[in-house]
Amino acid sequence: MRQTITFDKFIRWTLIALAVITVGFIINALSGVLLPFFIAWLLAYLLYPIVKFVQYKLHVPGRALSIIITLVFVTAIFAGIFYFIVPPMINQVDRFMYIVNRYLHETTHSNNIATMVQKWIMENRTEIEKFLKSPDFTDAIKTAMPKLFSVIGQTASIVISVIASCITLLYMFFILLDYEILTQNWIKIFPKRARPFWAGLAQDVERELNNYIRGQGLVSLCMGILFCIGFTIIDFPMAIGMGILIGILNLVPYLHTFALIPAAFLSLLKAADTGENFWIIFGIALAVFAIVQVLMDMVITPKIMGKAMGLNPAILLLSLSVWGALLGFIGLIIALPLTTLIIAYWQRYVTKEGDTAGAEAIAAVTGEKKEDEK
C-alpha cells in the first residue's frame, strides 16, 4: 500500500536529515577529541568479559583491582607475542647484515673502494668547493630546512600520540569501572519514543560484533597454526614467529598478505646463508601461502564464520577501505560487522527483502505490531 507524502512528513524528514548532517559535521570537527573515547569504549567492550571473569569467577575484591589484573594479563600476552616475533627478527637482520658485510669484503674489497673514494675527492676538490659555494647548494639547503622542521613536527606528533594513548587508557579504565551503568543508561539520551529502536539497533550491533570477533579470532588462530606447521616443514627461518605474525594480521581480513614482505626478506637471508636459490626458497614459501589460503577459504572459514559475513570480496574490500578511511585502524576492525548490519537493515526496511523472523523481531523491539497479531 502506497503511503501519501504529506507536508508534515516532508518537514519532519527534512529536519531529521539536517540533524544527521549537523551531527556528522560536529563529529568530524571533534574527531580528534572523540576518537580516543571511541577507541577506549571499543577496548573496554573487548576487555569487559575478562574483567567480569576476574572479578566474579576468581573472586577478586573490587572492580578497580580486577581491571588492573586484566590489564597486566593482557600486557603479558602482548609482551610474549612481541618476544616471539621481534627479537628473532632483529637477530635475522643482524645475520643478514653480517652476510652482506662478508660478501662485500670477499668480493668487492671494500678497502679499495674507500681508497678510490678518497682519491676522487682529492682530485675533484676544486669542483666540490665551487659547488658548496654555488647558489644551487644554497637553494638545496633552503629546500631541506622545511623537511627538517617537518621531521621535528612528526616527532611532536609522536609525543602527542603517546599522550593521546594515555588519555585513551584513562577513558578505558573509567568506562570499565562503571560499564554496566553506562551500557544501560546511554539510551536515555534519546527521546522515549525513539528508545526502543535504538535499543534494538544496539543489540543487533553487539550481536554482529560478537559473532565477527569470535569467528575471526578463531579463524586467525587456525591460520597462525597452519602457517607455523607449514613453515616448520619447509625449514623456513622464524617459522613460529611468522605464523604468529600472520595470525595477528589476519584479524583484519586480507591484511596477512603484507607478510609476504618479511617472507621475501627471510627467503633472501636463507639463500645468502645456505647458498640455495632465492627463487626456489621464496617459491616454496609462496606455495605454503597458497595451500593455507585455499584451506582457509574452502574449509575453515566457511565452517567457522558460516554465512554471517558472506560478503562479496569486492564489497568486502570496499567496506574495509571506507571504514578504514573514516575511523582508521578501528574502522578496519569493525568494518565487516557494520557493513553486514547496514546491508541487513537496508534489505529489511528499504527493499523489504529481509528475513521475516528478523523483521518481526525488530518490529517487536520498536513497538510495532502487525494487524494479524491482534
Side-chain angles (χ1 to χ4, degrees), residues 216-231 242-251 254-257 289 292-297 300-301 304:
Q216 192 66 22
L218 188 55
V219 167
S220 299
L221 177 63
C222 295
M223 177 174 281
I225 293 173
L226 288 176
F227 270 105
C228 287
I229 295 172
F231 285 146
M242 279 292 294
I244 296 174
L245 176 63
I246 292 173
I248 294 173
L249 291 176
N250 192 63
L251 290 172
Y254 295 109
L255 194 63
H256 67 279
T257 53
F289 270 88
V292 173
Q293 192 64 51
V294 169
L295 288 175
M296 297 300 299
D297 292 341
I300 297 176
T301 301
I304 295 175

Side-chain angles (χ1 to χ4, degrees), residues 38-73:
F38 286 124
I39 293 175
W41 191 281
L42 179 61
L43 293 175
Y45 169 78
L46 296 174
L47 293 179
Y48 175 69
I50 305 176
V51 173
K52 192 175 177 181
F53 176 82
V54 171
Q55 183 177 4
Y56 296 110
K57 298 296 183 179
L58 301 183
H59 304 289
V60 174
R63 174 60 61 86
L65 184 59
S66 302
I67 296 171
I68 294 173
I69 292 175
T70 300
L71 292 177
V72 171
F73 173 71

Side-chain angles (χ1 to χ4, degrees), residues 72-240:
V72 171
F73 173 71
V74 173
T75 303
I77 292 177
F78 279 101
I81 295 173
F82 182 89
Y83 175 78
F84 273 106
I85 295 176
V86 177
M89 182 64 76
I90 294 175
N91 291 335
Q92 297 291 351
V93 172
D94 290 340
R95 178 65 179 168
F96 179 74
M97 295 305 297
Y98 169 77
I99 293 172
V100 170
N101 289 329
R102 186 183 65 186
Y103 176 78
L104 291 175
H105 281 84
E106 291 178 355
T107 59
T108 61
H109 304 290
S110 58
N111 292 330
N112 294 337
I113 294 176
T115 304
M116 291 172 60
V117 171
Q118 184 177 6
K119 182 179 178 181
W120 181 85
I121 292 175
M122 294 299 297
E123 291 177 352
N124 299 276
R125 182 174 59 183
T126 306
E127 287 77 6
I128 294 174
E129 290 177 356
K130 288 181 180 179
F131 173 74
L132 294 177
K133 295 177 181 179
S134 66
D136 293 337
F137 181 73
T138 306
D139 294 338
I141 293 295
K142 291 180 180 178
T143 305
M145 288 305 292
K147 295 182 180 180
L148 176 61
F149 286 111
S150 133
V151 172
I152 296 174
Q154 290 176 359
T155 305
S157 69
I158 292 174
V159 175
I160 294 173
S161 299
V162 172
I163 296 174
S165 300
C166 296
I167 294 174
T168 302
L169 290 175
L170 197 62
Y171 276 143
M172 183 187 67
F173 181 84
F174 287 115
I175 290 172
L176 284 171
L177 205 59
D178 297 313
Y179 189 84
E180 293 87 354
I181 297 175
L182 292 174
T183 53
Q184 292 172 4
N185 292 334
W186 69 271
I187 196 68
K188 293 182 179 179
I189 65 176
F190 298 102
K192 289 185 178 181
R193 290 181 59 186
R195 287 178 188 175
F197 171 78
W198 290 105
L201 179 62
Q203 291 176 1
D204 289 342
V205 171
E206 184 177 4
R207 183 186 66 251
E208 294 292 340
L209 198 57
N210 282 338
N211 291 339
Y212 173 72
I213 290 175
R214 292 172 183 172
Q216 192 66 22
L218 188 55
V219 167
S220 299
L221 177 63
C222 295
M223 177 174 281
I225 293 173
L226 288 176
F227 270 105
C228 287
I229 295 172
F231 285 146
T232 303
I233 291 174
I234 68 172
D235 193 24
F236 198 72
M238 276 187 62
I240 305 299

